[in-house]
Amino acid sequence: MRRVSEDLRRALEDPGYTPPRRAFGEMFALLSHPELGERAERALLSAGLPAATYAAETLAQDPAAAEPALVRLVGRAARTHDEPALLEALCKALQSPHAETRRQAAMALGKSGRREAEPALLACLSTTDHKLLRSVVEALGKVGGEDALAQLTALQVPATLRQVADRARLMLERGLGRSQGPAEPIASDRPLPAPLRVSLLCRGGLSELLAEEAASLQPRVESPSEVSLSYAGALGPLLELRLATAVAIAWPLTQGTSPGGVLTALLSAELVAALTAWSNGQLRFRLEWQGAGHRRADTWRIAQGLRDAGSPLLNDPAQAPWTIEVQQDPPRLLLRPSAGADRRFDYRVRDVPAASHPTIAAALARVAGPDAADVVWDPFAGSGVELIERARLGPYRELHGTDLDARALGAARENAEQAGLVGLSLQQADARNHRVPGLSLVLTNPPMGRRVLRARGLSGVLCQVVRNVASQLVPGGRMIWLSPFPDVTARAAADAGLRVERLRSVDLGGFDAELQRFVRAG
Ligand SMILES: C[S@@+](CC[C@H](N)C(=O)[O-])C[C@H]1O[C@@H](n2cnc3c(N)ncnc32)[C@H](O)[C@@H]1O
């Protein structure tokens, strides 16, 4: 056994140790050390490409000396660096006299994602080493092309590898169609062939407001975060609803949520017709199991069942314009178009920390409603989303935004410009004492104090702002906002002579705030 100096031992004990180039040889020699091998491998990995290139040279010169760890090192680098020498070394290692080294090389070539690895892997398909064959087949599923698909289809594999070969073929089939996919895989202008139940999802607490937004479609409020419609139209108008976070076809799982039940639903002609109507090109989807992890084996069973039945649906997590979520309660599928950019809030070119979710800003604006006489103020304007959403609803007399932070005001200015909003006045000022003559509407999403753990004193600041607003609202004027301290701010508003309406609790992403409307008597 090689003697290891105390200095080197100490260096290797440090998890952050990165060996210099001159130490690479010494580190390589330690890879098979029973006690220090793992540490040496970790240190070499942290040295990155230079160590991997050195390892590739070593492998090229003396394949017989190829340690599995050396191959792993090269493989790791080949995932991110398109260096021919790395790939060559891995291909060469496929011929190593050591079984484990050959297997590591096949796995590394698969993970490299490089099509150039295909010929060397194909050359190994005749191996009698079953472990190697398994890794080679898996790798071909990841990096192969038409040749790999043809050879895997013709290949006679032992029974234990049948499933692995099947998966590899499925992966190749779905990969080969990808490059021919349309630029816009979701069709937003074609109607459904028949009325279906369509769900509109939103932030918890906003479903009634979303139902108001979608009123012309006769919506039904299903829960605080869901509205449903019987709908046969095109997808486009639904994607424009500003309060929705997602649109999905809701498909009942009449035969349960087992893989068999899901497969039966996915094979239904009506479901396929609906997806076809709202798609251009292939029906690629990703399967998600609500609250049940990946369930890879079940997903594969379904993918294989679809293929065996000749279904046009193709399970392809890497490039899926549709996400199909399996829900348990009620048992149903949610078929959600996931491709295509959301254009509704494209004006948001700049953000601030704790910026409002734009659907929530849109909801606040909807509660305010368009009144052409309104003088509007957002005292905590941030990036300006509430003011922009209010402006989109209709005319107003004036729009004012203030913030203590000059960068936030810069963001608001840019966003407003993008939104084509003119006449917005932005000023650096304190919400507690700023005044806006003729103020008739305050619309705001204030600081919630999450960052500083319910920042002590924040509730006091928010009450001061309520009093400041109350002191200047014109008769009939309103303040509409989300309060993280609902009881305290409602009391402050009532004490300041405002009529208090506590509308509903809204999920701000893991914590709730109350949507409140305070009105000065007319
Ligand atoms: C929750 S963020 C506003 C988010 C905003 N609606 C958006 O979407 O970007 C709160 C903002 O209030 C500002 N702020 C905090 N205390 C303030 C005060 N006393 N006066 C004015 N602005 C204040 C912060 O700088 C921050 O930009």
Side-chain angles (χ1 to χ4, degrees), residues 212-415:
E212 276 175 30
E213 189 187 16
S216 64
L217 304 170
Q218 277 99 48
R220 191 167 79 195
V221 172
E222 301 283 353
S223 78
S225 57
E226 184 176 343
V227 164
S228 82
L229 319 165
S230 168
Y231 190 72
L235 180 59
L238 304 184
L239 294 177
E240 279 165 25
L241 292 166
R242 301 189 83 74
L243 270 61
T245 48
V247 176
I249 296 170
W251 198 272
L253 283 172
T254 48
Q255 300 195 25
T257 59
S258 67
V262 172
L263 181 60
T264 306
L266 292 177
L267 288 172
S268 117
E270 291 81 11
L271 183 148
V272 172
L275 286 187
T276 306
W278 281 3
S279 304
N280 298 314
Q282 274 183 316
L283 305 181
R284 290 172 182 268
F285 70 95
R286 164 189 309 121
L287 202 60
E288 285 180 359
W289 301 83
Q290 186 197 30
H294 289 303
R295 294 183 58 173
R296 288 208 177 82
D298 289 345
T299 301
W300 274 107
R301 266 185 65 192
I302 291 166
Q304 276 165 350
L306 288 169
R307 195 192 49 174
D308 294 348
S311 164
L313 267 69
L314 198 59
N315 168 246
D316 182 5
Q319 202 186 75
W322 288 92
T323 297
I324 300 184
E325 187 181 335
V326 184
Q327 298 197 328
Q328 303 289 333
D329 188 19
R332 65 175 182 174
L333 298 177
L334 280 186
L335 310 151
R336 214 168 48 228
S338 44
D342 180 354
R343 309 248 150 74
R344 293 173 300 173
F345 306 107
D346 270 0
Y347 60 79
R348 290 165 74 230
V349 289
R350 274 184 62 192
D351 236 348
V352 296
S356 310
H357 192 273
T359 63
I360 290 179
L364 285 172
R366 172 160 279 280
V367 174
D371 180 339
D374 264 338
V375 172
V376 188
W377 175 35
D378 184 344
F380 301 105
S383 58
V385 192
E386 277 74 15
L387 290 168
I388 296 171
E389 287 299 317
R390 165 60 191 83
R392 289 186 52 91
L393 285 183
Y396 46 86
R397 191 184 302 163
E398 289 171 28
L399 278 186
H400 300 266
T402 55
D403 201 291
L404 279 181
D405 183 349
R407 281 167 308 181
L409 294 167
R413 194 164 295 115
E414 275 189 46
N415 291 341

Side-chain angles (χ1 to χ4, degrees), residues 9-283:
R9 234 176 228 285
R10 254 199 307 279
L12 281 173
E13 263 164 29
D14 174 359
Y17 173 62
T18 303
R21 194 179 188 87
R22 65 187 140 72
F24 289 166
E26 197 174 12
M27 288 289 144
F28 289 169
L30 278 183
L31 285 172
S32 54
H33 192 284
E35 190 193 329
L36 299 175
E38 261 179 50
R39 290 183 191 177
E41 185 174 351
R42 188 189 60 207
L44 282 165
L45 276 174
S46 75
L49 185 60
T53 313
Y54 195 98
E57 283 163 14
T58 311
L59 283 177
Q61 281 159 15
D62 183 9
E67 292 281 345
L70 222 51
V71 173
R72 279 198 293 273
L73 189 63
V74 177
R76 187 70 77 92
R79 286 186 224 168
T80 44
H81 299 280
D82 191 7
E83 290 281 335
L86 301 178
L87 213 61
E88 269 167 39
L90 292 175
C91 290
K92 233 179 188 165
L94 282 174
Q95 309 300 330
S96 159
H98 307 299
E100 183 53 19
T101 301
R102 292 195 298 267
R103 208 172 68 82
Q104 292 286 344
M107 291 196 299
L109 286 168
K111 286 185 185 155
S112 76
R114 312 225 179 257
R115 175 64 64 84
E116 304 92 289
E118 186 183 23
L121 288 165
L122 285 175
C124 294
L125 280 180
S126 52
T127 178
T128 50
D129 172 352
H130 281 193
K131 272 183 154 181
L132 176 61
L133 185 59
R134 171 185 284 270
S135 302
V136 165
V137 168
E138 282 174 345
L140 281 170
K142 292 181 184 138
V143 300
E146 279 173 22
D147 284 353
L149 181 57
Q151 294 206 30
L152 285 181
T153 308
L155 189 69
Q156 297 289 330
V157 287
T160 47
L161 293 188
R162 218 163 274 150
Q163 205 186 13
V164 174
D166 240 18
R167 285 185 184 192
R169 278 206 303 275
L170 257 174
M171 285 170 74
L172 288 170
E173 280 165 2
R174 69 189 183 196
L176 287 174
R178 266 184 211 143
S179 50
Q180 299 134 26
E184 285 285 352
I186 296 295
S188 51
D189 52 353
R190 274 201 303 275
L192 291 171
L196 287 179
R197 187 114 315 257
V198 169
S199 278
L200 307 174
L201 306 172
C202 61
R203 282 296 182 93
L206 297 186
S207 57
E208 284 173 19
L209 289 167
L210 174 57
E212 276 175 30
E213 189 187 16
S216 64
L217 304 170
Q218 277 99 48
R220 191 167 79 195
V221 172
E222 301 283 353
S223 78
S225 57
E226 184 176 343
V227 164
S228 82
L229 319 165
S230 168
Y231 190 72
L235 180 59
L238 304 184
L239 294 177
E240 279 165 25
L241 292 166
R242 301 189 83 74
L243 270 61
T245 48
V247 176
I249 296 170
W251 198 272
L253 283 172
T254 48
Q255 300 195 25
T257 59
S258 67
V262 172
L263 181 60
T264 306
L266 292 177
L267 288 172
S268 117
E270 291 81 11
L271 183 148
V272 172
L275 286 187
T276 306
W278 281 3
S279 304
N280 298 314
Q282 274 183 316
L283 305 181

